[in-house]
Amino acid sequence: MMALFFNQPSRLNTQKRILTLALLICVAATALGFRLFKIQLLDGNGYGRAALRQRTQGVAWGFARGDFLDAKGQPLTGRGGVWKAVLFPNTEGFGKLTVPILSGVADVNAAWLQTAIAEGRPIKMPYAFDDASRLALENMRLPGLVFAEEPRRYGEPLAVHVIGYLAGDAGIAGLEYQLDAELSGKGSSRLAATVDAAARPISGLGIRHQEAAPDNAGWDVVLTIDRDLQEIVEHAMDVKGIRGAIVAVDPRNGDVLAMASRPQFDPENAGLYLQSEHAPFINRAISAYFPGSVFKIAIAVAALENGICAPESRFVDSGSIEIGQHQFHCHRKEGHGELSFSDAFAESCNTVFVAVGQTLGARAIVATAEKLGIGKLTNIGLRDENAGSLPVGWPLLPADIANLTLGQKGVSATPLQVALMASAIANGGILHVPRLVAELRTNDGVIVRTFTPDAGQRVMKPSTAQKMQQMMRQCVSQGTGMAAAGIEGGSAGKTGTAETGRTTPEGMPINNAWFVGFASGTPGQEPSLCMAILIEDGQSGSVTAAPLFAEVLAAFVALKE
């Protein structure tokens, strides 16, 4: 009995040890299973890519940077390609067969080629091949020479002043700069060959394209731009050889549908344009100019809002008006005679507006212009945006007020600001902050961030906006903007001709031409498109800018039908 008593604790200890050991084995097995699960399922692709890279040699091909898309998901970048050659110097026969022929056909720098061979690693030739040269070399089946089409960031470039350009992998201008962190990816895809232990490509296994890891890719940027309208706008400007800008916005929410500036540059070769005398890097859509008679929109809104006059108020234009020993003339030398305020707006009568401006006074004019967005940044998100200007010193002399009324002194505005000002009339009195970026997406379409349209703020009474709509329709139907008419559903707008102070060698004044207007394209519907056009050295708004408005609008409406 004594033996049994002393052996009982020993048996219990043994059982505890067994249980502890079993528990430890279970924990170790669980940890090992989790580790195997992580390696095979969670990290398997990464280990697979690493193993593949150890067995391959290649060159960077393309980039992991996100693309720009239009509002419907159509690509604005990465739309074209260029044929490049990749050399695999360790391929048998490369030195004897490929090098002599390649040097002769493509005029390759011999020193550069010898350096590439000495390094013994694949290398991408630093220039493109045309189809004739490429096909000739491909047909020779030269060892170690492979051709592939590499995507171009800016193939068939559109909206280059909006998108901007790169220097290396970094955004330098436009949204490439503003959204550089969001667009930037890590690494790149590769064009690679499977190699043996001596780094020689294995015959028969070919060349493969290895994509960058999905989690390393930059985000795509979806813009509010409509690619179809952008193409129409840019084509029209190029055909006519215009220097200036066109901005189209949706007056219902402030979305920018098109933004074009000319002259432009090739973003693939931006360095070639640095010394250009025509300043192609300037985005004229957000640069400030004298607005000329399109500023009469702000004067008319101020007059209606402050009760100075109504559309039917009567005036007499004799062709000129004297303000403080200065004569201000109407563009019709003999004058328009008796006419209404609405007629004066449609005919862009200077003397009537100078008289109305004197009654309003500088403070009322500036206050209204500020409410309409003139003289301050729109916050579109482009770093080169100009705020424009309004007078800041008080009081203004009567002659200064007269020039301010005509948009010729003390005020400057960008085409974007002018488009938004007209949009506030088209939509019933709401000024929106323009939206250019709609959302950010992963490269497989998952939305990362959405930028909602601005609700806007009321800047005039609905009744004022309605009266202004009628006055702008009259300008197109029977005034200086008649050349902008022509689409079903009608359009409305205002012409402008702004003096630059420069003259031709013959002494003729050089003017900038303006037109801003809106249209629905469908009778009975609210306006869905508002467009501002600026043409440098454009003679006059009625002669050059208004017809261009009609042309662009008609092409866009026809495309949508």
Side-chain angles (χ1 to χ4, degrees), residues 106-131:
D107 194 26
V108 178
N109 181 277
W112 176 89
L113 194 56
Q114 290 303 321
T115 300
I117 296 172
E119 291 179 358
R121 57 179 176 78
I123 188 167
K124 178 170 60 179
M125 299 186 71
Y127 44 80
F129 285 79
D130 59 33
D131 287 341

Side-chain angles (χ1 to χ4, degrees), residues 29 41 387 405 531 548:
L41 297 181
T405 302
M531 186 160 49
L548 183 58

Side-chain angles (χ1 to χ4, degrees), residues 95-107:
K96 292 183 179 179
L97 299 176
T98 305
V99 172
I101 294 177
L102 186 64
S103 299
V105 172
D107 194 26

Side-chain angles (χ1 to χ4, degrees), residues 344-409:
F345 183 87
E347 295 291 342
S348 202
C349 178
N350 287 344
T351 60
V352 170
F353 272 82
V354 167
V356 170
Q358 297 298 307
T359 305
L360 275 169
R363 292 183 185 275
I365 293 173
V366 170
T368 300
E370 285 179 338
K371 289 176 65 177
L372 293 173
I374 306 300
K376 57 185 178 183
L377 296 175
T378 68
N379 295 320
I380 192 174
L382 296 173
R383 64 170 173 170
D384 294 329
E385 182 185 11
N386 193 301
S389 62
L390 285 167
V392 294
W394 309 104
L396 292 185
L397 296 174
D400 293 330
I401 297 174
N403 278 311
L404 173 64
T405 302
L406 301 178
Q408 286 295 160
K409 184 178 180 180

Side-chain angles (χ1 to χ4, degrees), residues 317-475:
D317 168 33
S318 61
S320 65
I321 184 173
E322 184 174 346
I323 303 293
Q325 299 182 344
H326 294 272
Q327 288 284 334
F328 292 86
H329 299 276
C330 188
H331 63 88
R332 180 181 290 183
K333 293 182 179 180
E334 68 276 16
H336 292 90
E338 185 177 349
L339 72 173
S340 68
F341 186 56
S342 182
D343 294 335
F345 183 87
E347 295 291 342
S348 202
C349 178
N350 287 344
T351 60
V352 170
F353 272 82
V354 167
V356 170
Q358 297 298 307
T359 305
L360 275 169
R363 292 183 185 275
I365 293 173
V366 170
T368 300
E370 285 179 338
K371 289 176 65 177
L372 293 173
I374 306 300
K376 57 185 178 183
L377 296 175
T378 68
N379 295 320
I380 192 174
L382 296 173
R383 64 170 173 170
D384 294 329
E385 182 185 11
N386 193 301
S389 62
L390 285 167
V392 294
W394 309 104
L396 292 185
L397 296 174
D400 293 330
I401 297 174
N403 278 311
L404 173 64
T405 302
L406 301 178
Q408 286 295 160
K409 184 178 180 180
V411 57
S412 63
T414 69
L416 175 61
Q417 290 172 333
V418 172
L420 293 170
M421 176 175 65
S423 291
I425 293 168
N427 65 31
I430 305 298
L431 183 70
H432 291 282
V433 173
R435 185 174 71 142
L436 190 54
V437 178
E439 61 188 32
L440 304 177
R441 296 179 185 172
T442 63
N443 62 359
D444 54 358
V446 178
I447 297 176
V448 177
R449 183 179 177 186
T450 299
F451 301 86
T452 57
D454 172 62
Q457 60 178 2
R458 179 161 293 282
V459 294
M460 70 185 79
K461 297 189 290 286
S463 59
T464 298
Q466 187 175 19
K467 293 172 184 176
M468 288 298 303
Q469 290 171 12
Q470 293 298 326
M471 291 167 65
M472 293 177 73
R473 288 193 181 96
Q474 182 181 345
C475 179

Side-chain angles (χ1 to χ4, degrees), residues 154-490:
Y154 306 111
E156 304 174 31
L158 271 178
V160 300
H161 292 89
V162 173
I163 293 173
Y165 62 96
L166 302 173
D169 296 328
I172 295 298
L175 293 177
E176 292 276 27
Y177 170 82
Q178 298 293 135
L179 299 174
D180 188 59
E182 290 81 359
L183 288 160
S184 295
K186 300 175 182 178
S188 65
S189 59
R190 294 202 314 161
L191 199 68
T194 304
V195 297
D196 60 17
R200 294 187 299 263
I202 298 176
S203 177
L205 295 184
I207 306 298
R208 68 179 65 188
H209 187 213
Q210 299 173 347
E211 293 286 352
D215 53 351
N216 285 341
W219 292 338
D220 290 340
V221 178
V222 181
L223 303 182
T224 59
I225 294 288
D226 183 308
R227 194 178 88 178
D228 296 331
L229 179 58
Q230 185 75 29
E231 288 178 338
I232 290 170
V233 164
E234 295 197 18
H235 176 73
M237 296 181 77
D238 291 338
V239 167
K240 296 183 182 300
I242 287 172
R243 188 167 69 248
I246 297 180
V247 181
V249 300
D250 188 333
R252 298 168 296 185
N253 54 21
D255 280 359
V256 177
L257 304 178
M259 179 180 285
S261 177
R262 289 295 187 274
Q264 68 169 353
F265 58 93
D266 178 6
E268 292 280 359
N269 300 286
L272 300 178
Y273 297 81
L274 293 175
Q275 303 301 321
S276 173
E277 61 179 332
H278 300 298
F281 291 102
I282 293 177
N283 185 351
R284 286 160 167 81
I286 53 175
S287 300
Y289 297 80
F290 290 138
S293 288
V294 294
F295 192 65
K296 288 173 181 170
I297 294 173
I299 302 301
V301 170
L304 297 175
E305 287 280 284
N306 288 279
I308 299 300
C309 59
E312 62 274 12
S313 298
R314 308 301 294 179
F315 295 86
V316 176
D317 168 33
S318 61
S320 65
I321 184 173
E322 184 174 346
I323 303 293
Q325 299 182 344
H326 294 272
Q327 288 284 334
F328 292 86
H329 299 276
C330 188
H331 63 88
R332 180 181 290 183
K333 293 182 179 180
E334 68 276 16
H336 292 90
E338 185 177 349
L339 72 173
S340 68
F341 186 56
S342 182
D343 294 335
F345 183 87
E347 295 291 342
S348 202
C349 178
N350 287 344
T351 60
V352 170
F353 272 82
V354 167
V356 170
Q358 297 298 307
T359 305
L360 275 169
R363 292 183 185 275
I365 293 173
V366 170
T368 300
E370 285 179 338
K371 289 176 65 177
L372 293 173
I374 306 300
K376 57 185 178 183
L377 296 175
T378 68
N379 295 320
I380 192 174
L382 296 173
R383 64 170 173 170
D384 294 329
E385 182 185 11
N386 193 301
S389 62
L390 285 167
V392 294
W394 309 104
L396 292 185
L397 296 174
D400 293 330
I401 297 174
N403 278 311
L404 173 64
T405 302
L406 301 178
Q408 286 295 160
K409 184 178 180 180
V411 57
S412 63
T414 69
L416 175 61
Q417 290 172 333
V418 172
L420 293 170
M421 176 175 65
S423 291
I425 293 168
N427 65 31
I430 305 298
L431 183 70
H432 291 282
V433 173
R435 185 174 71 142
L436 190 54
V437 178
E439 61 188 32
L440 304 177
R441 296 179 185 172
T442 63
N443 62 359
D444 54 358
V446 178
I447 297 176
V448 177
R449 183 179 177 186
T450 299
F451 301 86
T452 57
D454 172 62
Q457 60 178 2
R458 179 161 293 282
V459 294
M460 70 185 79
K461 297 189 290 286
S463 59
T464 298
Q466 187 175 19
K467 293 172 184 176
M468 288 298 303
Q469 290 171 12
Q470 293 298 326
M471 291 167 65
M472 293 177 73
R473 288 193 181 96
Q474 182 181 345
C475 179
V476 171
S477 64
Q478 54 186 284
T480 59
M482 291 179 65
I487 68 162
E488 185 180 2

